[in-house]
Amino acid sequence: MDGRDLVRSVRMVGSVQGMRTVRSAWRRRRADARALAPRGAERARVPGLLVSAEPGPGGGVVRFARSELCVRVAVGGAVFWAWDGAAPLPSYALPEAGPEPDPRARLEPDTNGGWQVVSERLRVVVSRHGAVELRTPGGVLLRRELPPRWWEPVEGGEARWVQRSEVPADARFFGLGGRAGGPRLREGTYGLWNTGPGGRSGPGDDPMYLTMPVQVVVSDAGTHLAFHDNSWSGRVALREGREGAGSGHDRPGTCEVRMDGGPLRCWVVAGTPARVLQGWTALTGAPALPPSWALGPQHARSGFGSEREVRRTVEGYRERGLPLSALHLDTGHYDAHQVFTVDRERFPGLPRLAKELREEGVRLVSVVDPAVRAASGNAVFDSGLEVGAEGAFVRDPQGGPVLGEVWPGECVYPDFTDPLVREWWGALYEERLALGFAGVWHDMNEPVSFSAFGDPSLPRSARHALEGRGGDHREAHNVYALAMARAGYEGLRRLRPEERPFLFSRSGWAGMQRYGGAGSGGVATGWPGLRASLALVLGLGLCGVPYSGPDVGGFDGSPSPELYLRWFQLGAYMPLFRTRAAIGAEGGEPWEFGPEVLAHAGRALEERERLRPYFVTLAQLARLTGAPYVRPLWWGASGDRELRDCEDAFLLGDALLVAPVLDEGTHRRPVRLPRGRWYDTATGRAYEGPGQVVVDAPLSRVPVLARAGAVIPVRGADGSVELEVWAPPVGRTGGGLVVRDMGDGWETAEVERYTSRLLAGRVTVERDGEEGPVPYPVRVRGLPEPAQP
C-alpha cells in the first residue's frame, strides 16, 4: 500500500473508519500469508494416452495413462464431462437432486482409436489424447476441448488447471455473468471473482459483482452454452476467430479457462437459443417468479433521512400522476447502519407508514447487507453466536471470527454455506416483514470488507462449512451471495407461505435465478454507464437470470437531463425498472430534471404500465422456459451474422424490438432488423427485414418496433387486459401468448395461445383450441400495405 491508497481509503469511509479499514486489510493479508503456504514447486500433468473405456448410464468413463474422463448425457440433452473422478454433485449451481442420465446414450468405439457418445442433440467424441469434441448429430463441430493440463504442488495441495477450447471461426462469445463491456465478449481476459469495483463500475471494469463461468457461443453451426462448474477464482481468456479469405485457412476462435483450484467439470447444452436456455433452466432450476407488483416502476435513494422524506417522495409521484410500485430504503433507515435495527428516532412509525403506502399501491423494499456489527448487545450478533457448535460466522483457521470493516464498523460475516446458518438468517426476515416491508434487496454481498489494497473480499484462508464438506474462502467466495439469496428466499417462503417472495441481489452465481433477480450494482453515471446497463441485463439473461435491471441515472453523480431521460427510457423496458438517486444527489426523481424531462418520463411510465400484462406474460414464460424477457436480436435468428454483432438494441419477448438511445445528442439512429416485417409503434410505418433502417428517436421516446402479426397483451384505458395486434403480411400468420395476472400467490397460471390472420383485408384473432370470440377486446394496428424501403 502506498500513501495514495491510504488517502483514498480514508476519504472513502472517514478518517477513523479509514484507519480501521487499513488495519483490517493488513489483518487479512497476514492471515492469508500465515495459513496459505506458497505453492512452491509444481508438477505438470496431462491425461496421456487412452488406456481403456467402461460404458455406463448415459455414457461412461474413458481412462488415460494419468487421468480419467467421465462423459454423461442427461435426460433433456445436457452433456456432462469431468476429469479425475469429479461428479455433478455437490454443486451450488444445480438443485439438490441432479439430472438423471439418459439411458439411450451409450459410450461406443469411434474411429481413430477414440470413443464417442451419441445423443439426440450432440455427439461427444473423445480422442486418444484426451480431446473432447462436441458435434451436432450431423457431425458439424461446435466446440473442441483440447487435452487439459494440471499443475500440482509437489508438497500437496489444490491443483490449478487450464482448459483450452476451440470454436468455429465465425463464433461470437456472450455471457460470463454481468459484464459491463458486453454483451458480445471480445478478445480479452475476464476475471471470475465477484468484486465490487470501488463504488462505481463502467465498461472498462472487470471483474464485477456477478461473475459466472457460463459461456454462450453463437456460430453458423449452432448455439451452445458451456458451464465450468467450479466456484474458485479464475480467468477466461477469449479470442474471436477469423475466416480465411479465398483459399486461406480459418483461424478458430479460442477460449482458455484457468482456475486456481477445484474440479475440472463442465456442462454443455446445445440447440437453438431458446432450447439452450430451456435446457439450462432445466439443469439449474426455474427462475423465481416475482410478484406482479415488482414488474412496475420502483425508486431507491442512497439515503432517506426520515419518514417525512419517504412520504414527500411518494406524494411527489402522486401529485404529478406518475405510477410507483415500490420504494427502496437503503441502510440510512437502520440505526448506525446495523442490519435489522431500525432508527426509531427518524423512522418511529415504520409499520404504519408501510401500511398506508401499501393501501396507495406502493410497497416498501428493504436493503439487507450480510455484514453484522461485532458488538455485544447487538441482538443479531449475539444470536448468531448461539447457532450450532461454533456460531454462525465465518472463522479464520485458528477458530476465531473473521473481522472486516463495513458501514456499521467492525463486522463479522454469516457463513451462508452452512444450512443451520441459512435457517437462522432466514428467520431474521420476520423483523422486516413485521415492519411492513414487502421485499428485500441484498447488497454488499460479494462479500465486501473495505480495503486499501484492491481486493475488498474476506481472507482467502477464511473457513466455511460448505454444506459440511469444509473448505476455505477460495471456494466459497463466488457462491457466498448465492447462498445468502437462498437463505433469504427460503426464510421469506417459510414466513409468508401464501406470497411469492421478492428478492434481488447485487452479487450471485450460476443458479441464483432460483431465489430471485439481480441488480446492476453501482454503475457509473455517464453515457458509458448507460451502455453498460444494457450489456449487464443482456448478459445475465443469457446466463439464466431473466429478472434484472440497472439503476436508472447511475450511482456516483448527477446525470444531465438528457442522460437521465435516455436512461429512464431504457429502464422502462427492463424487467427490474428502478430509478435511483445517486450518492450525494437530492432526489433522482423525474421532476428534478425539469418540465421537459418530466413530461417525457411520464410518457415512458405510461407505456410501461400499458405493457404490464405483457411483462406478466414474459415473467411466467421465463419461469416455464428460461427465456429471458430481454433478448439479443439474434435470439430467433442466430445464423444472421449481422445480428450477432448488434449490441445497441434488443428484443423484449418475441413481439417488440427496442432501440434505446445510448449516445448524447442522438435524434435519429440506425436499427438492425431481423427477418420479417416490423412496424414503428409510434408512426405505424412498416419496414422489411433483414436489413438496417434509420428511424426517428426524438427526446420524447426511443424507437420501438413491433413484429408483424404479433398479439400483445396490454392494459386498456379502463385497466382491463386487451390484445394489441399488429397486422401480419398478406398470406402469413402471426400470434402471441398471454398469461393472466394471478396475483402474488402460487396459483398456477394458464398459457393462452392466439393466432392472427389477414383474410380479405381484415385481421382476425383466434385462440388456439377454442371456438368463438376471444375473451379480450382486440385492437388492430398496422396497415396491410406494402412495406416501405
Side-chain angles (χ1 to χ4, degrees):
M1 180 185 70
D2 60 22
R4 288 174 298 176
D5 294 322
L6 176 60
V7 170
R8 184 162 54 247
S9 176
V10 170
R11 286 178 176 174
M12 179 177 67
V13 294
S15 58
V16 175
Q17 195 170 34
M19 293 305 298
R20 288 204 303 259
T21 297
V22 174
R23 184 179 62 193
S24 175
W26 276 117
R27 192 162 52 216
R28 286 201 303 277
R29 286 200 166 185
R30 188 170 62 248
D32 285 347
R34 195 165 49 229
L36 301 178
R39 295 189 65 89
E42 295 180 313
R43 182 184 297 109
R45 174 169 61 89
V46 295
L49 289 176
L50 191 151
V51 175
S52 64
E54 179 182 341
V61 175
V62 183
R63 294 184 176 86
F64 296 84
R66 290 177 291 275
S67 188
E68 68 178 35
L69 171 69
C70 172
V71 180
R72 183 185 305 169
V73 178
V75 172
V79 171
F80 173 77
W81 55 265
W83 289 92
D84 289 345
L89 297 175
S91 169
Y92 279 94
L94 276 60
E96 293 181 357
E100 294 293 323
D102 186 346
R104 300 171 298 175
R106 294 186 59 83
L107 183 68
E108 58 189 38
D110 187 35
T111 57
N112 300 320
W115 290 78
Q116 67 172 358
V117 179
V118 179
S119 69
E120 181 181 358
R121 299 179 187 174
L122 278 174
R123 183 159 67 95
V124 186
V125 181
V126 181
S127 78
R128 293 184 299 119
H129 298 277
V132 180
E133 292 185 351
L134 301 161
R135 295 181 174 271
T136 67
V140 179
L141 180 68
L142 289 173
R143 187 182 190 93
R144 177 184 290 113
E145 305 284 356
L146 303 178
R149 181 182 294 267
W150 295 265
W151 287 269
E152 300 167 330
V154 173
E155 300 298 326
E158 283 286 335
R160 57 190 180 94
W161 54 261
V162 60
Q163 174 69 70
R164 296 184 176 92
S165 312
E166 295 178 349
V167 297
D170 65 289
R172 296 289 183 262
F173 295 98
F174 301 86
L176 294 182
R179 302 287 169 169
R184 173 184 161 194
L185 302 177
R186 288 172 169 77
E187 183 169 330
T189 301
Y190 299 86
L192 296 173
W193 187 257
N194 292 345
T195 305
R200 53 174 287 173
S201 59
D205 291 306
D206 190 275
M208 287 183 50
Y209 308 101
L210 209 166
T211 67
M212 296 185 201
V214 179
Q215 309 165 35
V216 177
V217 183
V218 187
S219 68
D220 289 352
T223 301
H224 73 271
L225 179 151
F227 166 52
H228 290 85
D229 192 353
N230 184 317
S231 62
W232 284 63
S233 63
R235 298 152 299 286
V236 179
L238 302 177
R239 186 182 72 169
E240 292 182 348
R242 181 178 301 165
E243 293 182 296
S247 60
H249 293 288
D250 289 351
R251 187 191 75 188
T254 61
C255 166
E256 181 181 276
V257 179
R258 288 182 177 268
M259 303 300 290
D260 294 333
L264 174 44
R265 56 184 180 178
C266 184
W267 287 93
V268 176
V269 185
T272 63
R275 178 168 281 186
V276 166
L277 264 295
Q278 186 172 24
W280 175 241
T281 298
L283 184 66
T284 59
L289 185 65
S292 57
W293 61 262
L295 298 172
Q298 307 177 48
H299 180 65
R301 190 187 295 182
S302 294
F304 279 106
S306 65
E307 289 184 16
R308 175 185 293 181
E309 289 188 24
V310 173
R311 293 184 186 276
R312 181 175 59 82
T313 299
V314 175
E315 289 170 3
Y317 277 88
R318 291 291 174 260
E319 289 172 359
R320 295 164 177 84
L322 303 177
L324 180 67
S325 290
L327 205 64
H328 296 221
L329 302 191
D330 209 333
T331 57
H333 80 283
Y334 286 123
D335 181 11
H337 301 284
Q338 296 181 83
V339 67
F340 303 120
T341 57
V342 172
D343 187 323
R344 298 294 180 179
E345 292 187 5
R346 293 183 296 114
F347 291 86
L350 197 50
R352 182 179 67 253
L353 172 66
K355 181 176 182 295
E356 293 173 0
L357 293 182
R358 183 180 288 237
E359 291 172 352
E360 299 178 25
V362 180
R363 270 78 170 179
L364 288 183
V365 174
S366 170
V367 71
V368 174
D369 293 354
V372 175
R373 185 178 180 185
S376 179
N378 175 5
V380 178
F381 175 73
D382 291 342
S383 68
L385 294 177
E386 303 300 321
V387 175
E390 296 184 337
F393 305 114
V394 176
R395 295 187 169 269
D396 60 29
Q398 287 72 45
V402 170
L403 298 174
E405 194 72 24
V406 200
W407 300 120
E410 196 167 58
C411 293
V412 291
Y413 300 82
D415 182 6
F416 297 113
T417 69
D418 185 333
L420 288 177
V421 175
R422 289 198 296 268
E423 184 176 358
W424 162 75
W425 185 263
L428 296 176
Y429 287 74
E430 184 176 12
E431 180 265 357
R432 298 285 89 187
L433 296 179
L435 291 170
F437 287 105
V440 293
W441 148 37
H442 286 175
D443 200 20
M444 306 289 285
N445 58 339
E446 287 75 32
V448 167
S449 174
F450 294 148
S451 174
F453 298 107
D455 184 1
S457 66
L458 304 187
R460 300 195 179 206
S461 59
R463 307 302 300 174
H464 290 263
L466 289 168
E467 314 307 317
R469 293 180 288 112
D472 60 37
H473 198 64
R474 292 175 296 176
E475 181 179 357
H477 175 84
N478 281 335
V479 298
Y480 187 88
L482 169 70
M484 180 185 180
R486 179 180 178 180
Y489 181 83
E490 292 178 347
L492 291 171
R493 284 206 64 172
R494 288 193 300 268
L495 293 166
R496 290 279 175 85
E498 72 282 0
E499 295 182 10
R500 298 198 301 270
F502 175 61
L503 185 152
F504 72 98
S505 176
R506 184 171 89 169
S507 185
W509 203 63
M512 66 172 295
Q513 74 277 357
R514 299 192 297 269
Y515 313 118
S520 64
V523 175
T525 299
W527 292 94
L530 170 60
R531 188 173 288 271
S533 296
L534 175 57
L536 288 164
V537 175
L538 281 167
L540 288 171
L542 291 173
C543 290
V545 185
Y547 183 82
S548 68
D551 281 342
V552 169
F555 179 73
D556 65 332
S558 297
S560 67
E562 181 188 2
L563 172 60
Y564 177 85
L565 177 60
R566 294 308 195 186
W567 217 322
F568 196 97
Q569 291 166 336
L570 169 66
Y573 294 96
M574 296 284 103
L576 171 57
F577 178 22
R578 182 175 87 152
T579 51
R580 184 175 183 181
I583 291 285
E586 287 297 320
E589 295 84 17
W591 55 86
E592 299 286 344
F593 296 89
E596 184 180 20
V597 169
L598 174 60
H600 298 333
R603 280 191 280 273
L605 283 170
E606 290 175 4
E607 181 63 7
R608 171 66 177 226
E609 289 298 279
R610 194 181 75 89
L611 290 173
R612 183 80 77 90
Y614 187 48
F615 275 93
V616 169
T617 296
L618 294 178
Q620 292 279 1
L621 294 178
R623 178 165 180 79
L624 293 172
T625 69
Y629 311 37
V630 171
R631 309 166 187 178
L633 291 188
W634 47 261
W635 179 262
S638 58
D640 188 328
R641 297 188 179 187
E642 297 289 346
L643 294 180
R644 294 206 294 259
D645 292 341
C646 183
E647 301 179 274
D648 61 355
F650 60 91
L651 297 174
L652 182 62
D654 284 331
L656 297 177
L657 188 159
V658 182
V661 173
L662 305 176
D663 297 300
E664 187 176 8
T666 299
H667 300 286
R668 282 176 63 80
R669 59 150 294 172
V671 179
R672 176 68 58 179
L673 297 179
R675 183 176 299 278
R677 180 170 295 179
W678 296 85
Y679 294 97
D680 187 319
T681 57
T683 66
R685 182 175 178 179
Y687 300 93
E688 201 72 33
Q692 182 171 282
V693 299
V694 178
V695 297
D696 291 331
L699 275 176
S700 60
R701 61 179 175 85
V702 295
V704 178
L705 296 98
R707 190 189 301 271
V711 178
I712 307 172
V714 298
R715 181 176 290 175
D718 63 353
S720 62
V721 175
E722 65 180 32
L723 301 183
E724 182 174 87
V725 183
W726 290 89
V730 176
R732 296 185 182 179
T733 62
L737 303 175
V738 178
V739 182
R740 303 186 191 216
D741 188 349
M742 307 304 292
D744 296 334
W746 299 96
E747 186 175 351
T748 302
E750 180 184 4
V751 178
E752 305 171 7
R753 292 174 169 80
Y754 292 88
T755 300
S756 63
R757 292 182 174 85
L758 180 61
L759 299 172
R762 180 172 176 269
V763 175
T764 63
V765 179
E766 300 173 348
R767 180 175 176 181
D768 292 5
E770 300 283 342
E771 296 183 358
V774 300
Y776 308 103
V778 176
R779 184 160 61 97
V780 177
R781 299 189 64 185
L783 299 175
E785 57 187 38
Q788 301 296 319

